């Protein structure tokens, strides 16, 4: 795919690789670049906003989906 975004690389180097979808967004894969939704980086920040702008429920692990192996 080419050179990874610095955020992707940092998580890989620290044994917390990001999910494939989140990695594609940050690496600006063409499938995440549209006029309507913006660039992949913009989409990635929207995805993160969904997790950080709401209180986390005790047993809800949805926010961990940004990692490759969250189970």
């Amino acid at each position: 795919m080419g050179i990874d975004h610095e955020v992707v690389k940092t998580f890989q180097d620290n044994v917390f690789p990001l999910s494939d979808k989140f990695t594609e967004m940050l690496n600006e894969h063409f499938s995440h670049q549209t006029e309507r939704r913006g660039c992949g980086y913009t989409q990635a920040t929207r995805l993160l906003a969904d997790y950080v702008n709401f209180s986390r429920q005790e047993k809800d692990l949805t926010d961990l989906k940004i990692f490759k192996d969250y189970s």
Side-chain angles (χ1 to χ4, degrees):
M1 180 184 261
I3 299 174
D4 284 326
H5 186 278
E6 62 189 58
V7 172
V8 173
K9 186 78 172 120
T10 299
F11 277 94
Q12 286 173 344
D13 291 348
N14 290 290
V15 196
F16 290 106
L18 299 173
S19 71
D20 292 339
K21 181 178 180 178
F22 199 59
T23 297
E24 286 180 352
M25 287 178 179
L26 291 172
N27 285 336
E28 296 294 343
H29 187 269
F30 71 89
S31 64
H32 297 285
Q33 297 176 358
T34 65
E35 284 184 32
R36 179 177 166 94
R37 295 185 285 165
C39 66
Y41 195 78
T42 300
Q43 291 179 44
T45 57
R46 286 185 190 133
L47 179 69
L48 282 178
D50 287 343
Y51 298 139
V52 299
N53 287 327
F54 298 100
S55 299
R56 184 172 190 241
Q57 301 299 316
E58 185 176 329
K59 295 185 180 189
D60 183 16
L61 303 177
T62 305
D63 55 342
L64 298 178
K65 287 183 177 182
I66 66 165
F67 298 107
K68 189 173 201 89
D69 300 313
Y70 68 93
S71 58

